[in-house]
């Protein structure tokens, strides 16, 4: 996986938020960074726990609002698996998701012809 420079990520986030009618905030940047750091399709609660490490004052409500904004802006998508909490994926390329019953993880599956 290629590492994206923080400045490029910040510029892309700011531009996408602005074009979607939202403003850039440090909290949105931090939640987006959390999604990009470990692309394991975390739940909102997992994002919250990870976000607290770098931004101790962030609330669960703020994380939910940031995730909702990222989804509405096309920077993340919601992934719903049977009988589980909604998860979040920053991979906006066309792909499918595979849920493993053994390890309870969600994996991206690329489509043929890509």
């Amino acid at each position: 996986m290629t590492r994206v420079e923080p400045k490029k990520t910040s510029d892309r986030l700011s531009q996408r938020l602005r074009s979607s009618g939202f403003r850039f905030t440090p909290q949105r940047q931090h939640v987006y960074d959390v999604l990009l750091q470990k692309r394991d399709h975390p739940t909102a609660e997992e994002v919250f726990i990870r976000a607290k490490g770098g931004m101790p004052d962030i609330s669960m409500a703020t994380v939910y609002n940031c995730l909702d904004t990222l989804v509405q802006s096309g920077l993340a998508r919601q992934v719903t698996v049977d009988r589980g909490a909604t998860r979040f994926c920053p991979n906006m390329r066309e792909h499918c998701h595979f849920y493993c019953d053994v390890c309870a993880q969600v994996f991206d599956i690329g489509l043929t012809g890509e």
Side-chain angles (χ1 to χ4, degrees):
M1 172 172 51
T2 58
R3 181 111 171 107
V4 177
E5 294 179 39
K7 176 75 173 133
K8 285 184 181 179
T9 303
S10 178
D11 290 346
R12 180 175 156 225
L13 173 66
S14 181
Q15 184 179 35
R16 181 61 70 93
L17 288 171
R18 197 171 41 254
S19 69
S20 299
F22 297 100
R23 63 184 176 83
F24 176 89
T25 66
Q27 293 83 359
R28 288 175 179 156
Q29 176 71 60
H30 187 62
V31 169
Y32 187 55
D33 289 344
V34 166
L35 286 178
L36 292 176
Q37 285 170 4
K38 189 175 179 187
R39 295 175 178 236
D40 61 345
H41 305 84
T43 64
E45 183 176 347
E46 290 168 336
V47 172
F48 172 67
I49 291 166
R50 294 173 191 176
K52 289 287 273 185
M55 192 175 274
D57 294 337
I58 198 166
S59 70
M60 187 68 181
T62 298
V63 169
Y64 273 115
N65 290 333
C66 289
L67 290 169
D68 185 52
T69 298
L70 293 173
V71 169
Q72 289 183 46
S73 299
L75 290 161
R77 66 177 70 195
Q78 291 181 321
V79 178
T80 305
V81 294
D82 291 339
R83 303 173 307 277
T86 298
R87 296 170 176 269
F88 295 87
C89 176
N91 180 357
M92 297 309 291
R93 288 187 173 165
E94 194 65 34
H95 68 283
C96 299
H97 293 100
F98 171 76
Y99 177 77
C100 177
D101 289 326
V102 176
C103 68
Q105 290 188 351
V106 178
F107 300 94
D108 287 346
I109 305 295
L111 299 177
T112 57
E114 285 188 35

